[in-house]
Every structure is written in structure tokens, then in C-alpha cells.
Amino acid sequence: QVQLVESGGGLVQAGGSLRLSCAASTPYFSSYYMGWFRQASGKERELVGVIGWDNEDTYYADSVKGRFTISRDNTKNSVYLEMNMLKPEDTAVYYCAARYPEQSRFDNWGQGTRVTVSS
């Protein structure tokens, strides 16, 4: 089991930027695929993006493509979500998650960090 701790959430105006961080407590961090998810109030959790073993292997939901960037630093056991051009509809609790590549589902989750984008 991997412990994940997100940080960096907060209140930002529309058009602004935030950088979320997620620290993992495992020496095998580089072996995990990492994902960012979000859940807005009253809505289902949705995938924001996924990063593979390195920063060249990424996937983004259409809603954030071109605005958000996922990166990882395996020397720091951390993954990041750089969010630019934020919109009010990006308001949500953001979660990071981890899985091994052969798994179909993410089964390690952080506690979440809240992002609020004001119009």
C-alpha cells in the first residue's frame, strides 16, 4: 500500500494558475503509474490525467488538455499537476492515485486537496 499526500490547493481567480503536489511514501515510486483525478460537488470523480514512468508518457482528459501538465520527479517520490488558465468549472477536490502498470484500476489514493476557482 502506498501513502499519498496532496498539497497545493487553494483559491484562485479564473485565468490563474496553481501547482498541486503529491508525495508518495514508497521506495518503489518509479514503478508506479500516477494519476490525478478530481471530484466536483455533486458530481462523479473524473480522471484528469495519467503519467507513466517518465515525463514523456502522459494522458490528459479533453477538458484539461493544453491547460494542465502532469510531471513527476522520481528522485523526490513526487508527482505534480501544473494547472494554468483555470476556469470556474475546474473547481473540485483533486486526488492523486497510484497503480502498477499491469493493474487496470488505481487502488492507492490520497486524501485530496481542494481547488476553488472564482469567476
Side-chain angles (χ1 to χ4, degrees):
Q1 200 72 1
V2 181
Q3 283 192 319
L4 302 170
V5 179
E6 302 95 334
S7 60
L11 174 65
V12 63
Q13 289 189 331
S17 299
L18 274 178
R19 187 188 194 220
L20 306 184
S21 300
C22 173
S25 63
T26 173
Y28 307 110
F29 176 74
S30 61
S31 299
Y32 285 89
Y33 281 11
M34 301 298 297
W36 283 98
F37 293 75
R38 67 185 182 185
Q39 186 166 20
S41 180
K43 295 187 177 181
E44 292 188 354
R45 186 171 58 197
E46 64 174 357
L47 175 68
V48 173
V50 179
I51 187 165
W53 291 323
D54 59 44
N55 291 317
E56 302 301 316
D57 183 15
T58 55
Y59 165 84
Y60 298 96
D62 288 342
S63 58
V64 306
K65 200 175 294 183
R67 299 188 299 123
F68 291 10
T69 302
I70 300 175
S71 62
R72 67 189 297 162
D73 186 340
N74 290 334
T75 67
K76 297 182 179 179
N77 289 358
S78 294
V79 62
Y80 308 99
L81 181 64
E82 184 76 34
M83 305 185 293
N84 298 312
M85 298 180 286
L86 282 161
K87 305 175 182 179
E89 51 264 44
D90 295 317
T91 295
V93 177
Y94 284 72
Y95 300 89
C96 74
R99 66 173 176 87
Y100 278 117
E102 62 270 22
Q103 293 177 303
S104 60
R105 298 175 61 185
F106 286 88
D107 59 357
N108 296 280
W109 294 86
Q111 83 290 346
T113 185
R114 183 173 297 276
V115 173
T116 303
V117 184
S118 63
S119 56

